[in-house]
Amino acid sequence: MTAKKYTKKTAKKIHKTRRKNYFFRRKILLAILLITLIGTGLYLKQSISYYYALYFNKFSHKNLHNDEKETLRIQRILSNNLDKTYGFDISHYQNKEDINWDSLSIGNKTIPLEFVVMRATMGNRSADKHFSEFWQQAQKHKLIRGAYHFYRADEDPVIQANNFLENVKLESGDLPPILDIEKIPRRKSNKKLIEDLKIWCKIIEETYGEKPIIYTYYHYYKDFLKGEFDDYPLWLANYNDVPTPSPDDQWDFWQFSENGIVHGINTKVDLDVYNGGVWSLKSLTLD
């Protein structure tokens, strides 16, 4: 077979076609890379915003300190629970201007705070003056939110439940309602207190379809509540140098310090750890 001869015109045409195909494939590849970068940027938007605010925000931090004993105790808890999820709780005792919501972290900026619990109501009629502002800020900055009612032991459980429901509108992705009980009654028996707490819980549970979280101190739970609310999520406060808030009870949240130093907050706050990862915490939230 006679070899095909290429003229200068044919060679130029072939080169032009190859060049055209090369640039077409290059454009396709660049388009794929651009789409990938945009998708990755959107996926990591929250993390990018967090780290940008963490290192470049102009927020002026106060130099807060704990004594050596408390500092070492908190460090031990953090190092022993690196697989768990951290948060904090606040009320009107914290000033609004003291919180920079963009970059909240602990452990020398290595552990981001994933959730915040805030006081909403107290007793029959009182409400926390900063609740609405804090509630909106938490949602804006993609924190898992929780609202708690501070229960006054001598007041009416029905009125207290209604006070909470009137002031708090929980949404999908929020933690279930939280009942904070710390005091013993002066005008009621302990038996009556338990009955009243169960009334509060029943009203709240019927409204939201979820059992409320019970918050109290370890010794209060041990002395007054143990055996009465065993099927409720449990949030225990214990500030002692212990590996867990309770040696005998299953717990969901542990408030381990009332002297927490948070990067992004210019006052000490209560620090909490959830007994699981962030996806486990999200599974606890309302649908």
Side-chain angles (χ1 to χ4, degrees):
M1 182 181 292
T2 306
K4 188 175 180 178
K5 295 182 178 180
Y6 291 97
T7 65
K8 188 175 182 180
K9 184 177 180 180
T10 303
K12 188 175 181 180
K13 185 178 181 181
I14 292 172
H15 177 72
K16 185 177 181 180
T17 301
R18 288 176 176 172
R19 182 181 176 86
K20 184 178 180 180
N21 291 338
Y22 167 77
F23 282 108
F24 177 75
R25 290 194 297 269
R26 189 173 176 179
K27 287 178 182 178
I28 293 295
L29 181 60
L30 288 173
I32 292 172
L33 289 173
L34 183 61
I35 292 170
T36 302
L37 286 172
I38 292 172
T40 303
L42 291 173
Y43 179 75
L44 297 175
K45 180 180 178 182
Q46 185 176 348
S47 296
I48 292 170
S49 298
Y50 167 78
Y51 285 108
Y52 180 85
L54 185 64
Y55 293 106
F56 298 104
N57 199 293
K58 299 291 186 181
F59 184 75
S60 179
H61 289 88
K62 291 182 180 178
N63 197 11
L64 303 175
H65 293 283
N66 282 319
D67 62 37
E68 183 179 2
K69 181 179 179 181
E70 178 70 355
T71 299
L72 291 174
R73 188 184 72 84
I74 292 175
Q75 288 176 352
R76 278 194 293 272
I77 291 171
L78 298 182
S79 63
N80 291 334
N81 294 276
L82 293 175
D83 58 334
K84 296 181 173 61
T85 309
Y86 288 87
F88 64 107
D89 55 280
I90 52 177
S91 67
H92 69 227
Y93 294 114
Q94 282 76 42
N95 295 320
K96 292 183 286 186
E97 59 272 17
D98 282 338
I99 304 176
N100 174 30
W101 293 87
D102 288 330
S103 56
L104 302 176
S105 61
I106 56 176
N108 196 25
K109 306 182 187 179
T110 61
I111 302 173
L113 297 180
E114 304 284 355
F115 68 92
V116 56
V117 177
M118 55 200 81
R119 187 174 68 174
T121 50
M122 304 87 79
N124 285 349
R125 292 180 175 83
S126 299
D128 193 288
K129 65 181 180 181
H130 289 341
F131 174 72
S132 294
E133 170 75 13
F134 288 160
W135 194 246
Q136 292 172 9
Q137 288 290 343
Q139 184 180 52
K140 178 181 177 181
H141 291 86
K142 311 298 183 184
L143 290 170
I144 297 172
R145 306 180 298 181
Y148 72 86
H149 174 79
F150 183 85
Y151 192 91
R152 289 179 175 154
D154 285 303
E155 296 184 4
D156 185 275
V158 176
I159 298 176
Q160 292 198 65
N162 289 332
N163 183 29
F164 181 83
L165 294 174
E166 288 168 6
N167 284 278
V168 180
K169 306 303 177 187
L170 297 176
E171 301 175 13
S172 176
D174 294 332
L175 291 171
I178 301 166
L179 174 63
D180 177 349
I181 175 64
E182 307 174 15
K183 307 292 184 180
I184 57 175
R186 296 178 180 178
R187 300 187 297 272
K188 298 179 182 179
S189 67
N190 291 340
K191 181 180 178 182
K192 176 60 174 169
L193 172 65
I194 298 300
E195 292 174 357
D196 286 353
L197 291 174
K198 289 183 177 180
I199 291 172
W200 190 96
C201 289
K202 182 179 180 182
I203 293 171
I204 299 300
E205 186 176 347
E206 287 177 349
T207 301
Y208 283 105
E210 295 281 349
K211 290 185 179 299
I213 299 168
I214 305 295
Y215 165 89
T216 191
Y217 291 92
Y218 164 66
H219 287 290
Y220 191 102
Y221 181 80
K222 180 182 175 183
D223 295 340
F224 301 107
L225 305 182
K226 191 175 176 65
E228 300 290 347
F229 298 91
D230 290 349
D231 55 345
Y232 286 74
L234 182 61
W235 178 13
L236 289 177
N238 191 333
Y239 309 142
N240 295 307
D241 193 4
V242 291
T244 65
S246 172
D248 307 313
D249 304 292
Q250 295 293 323
W251 56 277
D252 296 278
F253 297 87
W254 175 13
Q255 186 182 95
F256 60 88
S257 178
E258 59 183 347
N259 295 303
I261 297 174
V262 175
H263 179 83
I265 301 180
N266 274 338
T267 184
K268 293 182 181 181
V269 295
D270 298 334
L271 287 180
D272 307 289
V273 58
Y274 170 69
N275 194 15
V278 68
W279 289 108
S280 173
L281 177 60
K282 288 181 178 180
S283 71
L284 185 65
T285 61
L286 301 176
D287 296 328

